[in-house]
Amino acid sequence: MNYGYYNYYTDPLMNYTNIFAVTAVAALLAVILGIVLFCTFLRKNNEGKFSGFKGKLYNALNFNRFYAENIIKFLYVIAACVVTVVGIVCIVMGSFIAGVCAIVIGNVALRISMELLLMFVILCKKTVSMDRRLSKIEAFYEDRCGEDRGECSGSCEADEAETEIK
């Protein structure tokens, strides 16, 4: 007797045509949701309006907070443990030279590569921080002197001269 178990357990959604159709519809819905989020929730005038989970979500989606630094540190700790354990296993298995080389050279190479990755992340973070500070300074002088220097009564040039002396 030959029972058709395969046909009994197959779901019509699991054939390739339906999987492609479901994936296409899901991708289309995701694009629409992304556009709606970008145009409503992530607008620049919403900055600082949200707190709690919404605030964290806003900062994460607007890249106001960098998570790459923590992820790189986490991956470094895991990779360093793996390299060290592999080195210890090599020593125990009888290859002392290979184990010591794996521990020393592997950890040094790993450290250098992670530091290079982290350098780019920190450089980006410092650049964003400087940009924010400069925009605050720029806004301060625009508020005091106006957009056009012709509106300035002369006190702004004196203020600039005082800051240059300091």
Side-chain angles (χ1 to χ4, degrees):
M1 271 189 175
N2 191 2
Y3 293 107
Y5 290 119
Y6 181 74
N7 290 335
Y8 181 74
Y9 288 108
T10 39
D11 188 8
L13 282 178
M14 296 310 290
N15 64 25
Y16 293 112
T17 306
N18 288 337
I19 289 175
F20 178 74
V22 169
T23 304
V25 169
L28 182 65
L29 287 175
V31 167
I32 291 170
L33 179 66
I35 291 170
V36 169
L37 272 174
F38 184 77
C39 293
T40 58
F41 182 68
L42 297 176
R43 291 189 345 216
K44 193 69 173 172
N45 62 356
N46 285 340
E47 187 146 357
K49 287 185 178 180
F50 302 113
S51 62
F53 176 74
K54 283 185 179 179
K56 289 180 182 179
L57 183 64
Y58 179 83
N59 287 334
L61 293 177
N62 266 326
F63 296 95
N64 291 339
R65 171 119 169 87
F66 293 112
Y67 297 104
E69 186 176 357
N70 294 332
I71 292 170
I72 290 171
K73 288 177 184 178
F74 177 72
L75 290 176
Y76 168 72
V77 169
I78 290 175
C81 289
V82 168
V83 167
T84 304
V85 168
V86 167
I88 291 172
V89 167
C90 284
I91 291 172
V92 170
M93 296 295 284
S95 181
F96 182 76
I97 304 279
V100 170
C101 286
I103 291 173
V104 173
I105 295 172
N107 279 315
V108 168
L110 181 66
R111 177 68 185 214
I112 289 171
S113 63
M114 290 297 178
E115 282 182 5
L116 287 173
L117 276 173
L118 207 54
M119 232 173 30
F120 288 115
V121 172
I122 291 172
L123 178 68
C124 182
K125 194 164 84 170
K126 296 291 182 185
T127 304
V128 168
S129 173
M130 286 174 39
D131 186 44
R132 286 182 183 154
R133 288 180 186 167
L134 286 175
S135 66
K136 287 179 185 176
I137 292 171
E138 189 177 78
F140 173 77
Y141 279 110
E142 286 175 359
D143 288 345
R144 289 191 65 191
C145 298
E147 288 288 331
D148 186 17
R149 292 303 247 176
E151 297 175 16
C152 192
S153 62
S155 63
C156 292
E157 281 85 9
D159 289 345
E160 287 177 0
E162 288 177 20
T163 54
E164 289 177 9
I165 293 172
K166 294 179 183 178

